[in-house]
């Protein structure tokens, strides 16, 4: 019991901070910790992580939206294309010989963190608004297709990939990029959680409740801090969080 609470607390803390700061999927943190330290079935661990992601992403999106750091219109467009092309990517992957992309999401977390520290995103909202609505719509569709296909094919990296694309390709200001990313992740995580529970049944209820609660708590704290922080501080804080989480995940993988 004590070990379960201890593991779920730190898993929820890492996942919540990653979600609130950088729109990172809780599955990237919670799943490996539950599997490594509680010997949980991987399928159930992913289901718990996705369920934890739903409320954490939703409350983070609400916080970013309340502070006007959320692009709902283009977020919905990207969300629809991400969901559709995740199915396409999964189908294509099923037709090909089994390949492994182990460590993809972990190393992406680490490298993206280093990127935010060394090359912060300093785009302003004024610069974002200079892009025409039609161009932004087309960009959202194309990027959603790419993100969805890669996530379906590889099976990892959705939240961080969205953050990378939103900041580097679509030119979003960092807070708006994170807000839009967690908005999308709330729906994609809900879809994934429902399918996991429908196929594999309900997981360990204690772990589920603890992970959902702790992830929600820390996501709320991180999102409130992020929305009050200056761009320079937020970039460095996001970078440090991602580097630490990436390094910890790589250690878990080695274990």
């Amino acid at each position: 019991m004590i070990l379960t609470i201890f593991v779920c607390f730190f898993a929820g803390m890492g996942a919540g901070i990653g979600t609130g700061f950088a729109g990172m999927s809780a599955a990237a943190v919670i799943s490996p910790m539950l599997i490594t330290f509680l010997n949980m079935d991987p399928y159930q661990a992913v289901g718990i992580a996705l369920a934890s992601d739903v409320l954490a992403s939703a409350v983070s999106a609400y916080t970013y939206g309340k502070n006007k750091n959320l692009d709902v219109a283009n977020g919905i467009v990207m969300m629809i294309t991400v969901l559709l092309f995740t199915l396409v990517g999964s189908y294509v992957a099923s037709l090909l010989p089994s390949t492994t992309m182990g460590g993809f999401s972990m190393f992406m977390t680490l490298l993206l963190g280093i990127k935010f520290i060394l090359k912060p995103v300093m785009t302003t909202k004024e610069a974002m608004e200079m892009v025409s609505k039609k161009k932004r719509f087309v960009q959202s569709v194309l990027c959603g297709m790419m993100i969805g296909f890669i996530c379906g094919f590889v099976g990892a990296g959705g939240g961080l990939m969205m953050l990378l694309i939103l900041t580097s390709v679509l030119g979003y200001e960092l807070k708006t990029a994170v807000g839009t990313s967690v908005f999308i992740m709330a729906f994609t995580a809900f879809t994934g959680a429902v399918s996991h529970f429908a196929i594999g049944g309900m997981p360990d209820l204690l772990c589920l409740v603890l992970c959902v609660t702790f992830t929600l708590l820390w996501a709320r704290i991180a999102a409130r801090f992020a929305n009050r922080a200056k761009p320079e501080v937020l970039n460095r804080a996001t970078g440090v969080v991602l580097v630490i989480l990436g390094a910890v995940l790589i250690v878990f993988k080695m274990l």
Side-chain angles (χ1 to χ4, degrees):
M1 175 72 76
I2 295 177
L3 177 62
T4 298
I5 295 174
F6 185 80
V7 171
C8 290
F9 174 79
F10 282 101
M13 182 175 69
I17 292 174
T19 299
F21 266 117
M24 181 178 177
S25 172
V29 179
I30 293 178
S31 300
M33 288 194 68
L34 295 183
I35 294 168
T36 302
F37 296 109
L38 299 181
N39 296 315
M40 185 175 290
D41 174 72
Y43 196 83
Q44 285 201 358
V46 172
I48 290 176
L50 288 170
S52 303
D53 214 357
V54 176
L55 290 179
S57 294
V59 75
S60 296
Y62 171 77
T63 304
Y64 279 91
K66 189 170 67 172
N67 288 275
K68 299 181 179 179
N69 294 317
L70 172 59
D71 185 356
V72 175
N74 289 296
I76 291 174
V77 171
M78 186 175 289
M79 176 187 69
I80 293 171
T81 51
V82 166
L83 290 173
L84 289 175
F85 277 81
T86 296
L87 297 176
V88 175
S90 298
Y91 176 71
V92 173
S94 71
L95 300 177
L96 300 175
S98 178
T99 57
T100 178
M101 292 293 288
F104 175 81
S105 139
M106 300 173 220
F107 284 105
M108 184 177 178
T109 302
L110 183 65
L111 294 176
L112 191 57
I114 294 172
K115 185 261 183 190
F116 279 121
I117 294 173
L118 299 180
K119 191 178 179 182
V121 177
M122 300 304 294
T123 305
T124 62
K125 288 187 178 180
E126 290 74 17
M128 279 180 57
E129 292 171 357
M130 292 177 64
V131 179
S132 68
K133 291 184 178 180
K134 182 179 179 180
K135 181 179 180 181
R136 184 72 77 199
F137 175 83
V138 173
Q139 288 178 326
S140 297
V141 171
L142 294 176
C143 290
M145 291 167 61
M146 180 176 66
I147 294 169
F149 182 83
I150 293 175
C151 290
F153 190 80
V154 174
L160 291 178
M161 197 173 299
M162 270 188 277
L163 181 63
L164 180 63
I165 295 296
L166 288 170
T167 54
S168 301
V169 179
L170 277 78
Y172 273 55
E173 174 260 345
L174 182 56
K175 291 181 183 178
T176 307
V178 176
T180 305
S181 178
V182 290
F183 172 74
I184 297 170
M185 288 301 297
F187 292 94
T188 56
F190 177 77
T191 304
V194 170
S195 65
H196 265 70
F197 294 158
I199 295 171
M202 287 298 293
D204 183 290
L205 287 179
L206 176 61
C207 285
L208 176 63
V209 171
L210 289 174
C211 285
V212 168
T213 302
F214 291 135
T215 305
L216 177 62
L217 172 65
W218 285 100
R220 174 67 170 161
I221 293 171
R224 292 186 67 179
F225 175 84
N227 277 278
R228 294 176 181 176
K230 294 180 179 180
E232 298 88 346
V233 175
L234 181 58
N235 271 275
R236 291 194 179 94
T238 302
V240 169
V241 167
L242 291 177
V243 167
I244 292 173
L245 289 176
V248 171
L249 290 172
I250 290 172
V251 171
F252 286 165
K253 182 69 174 178
M254 292 172 65
L255 292 175

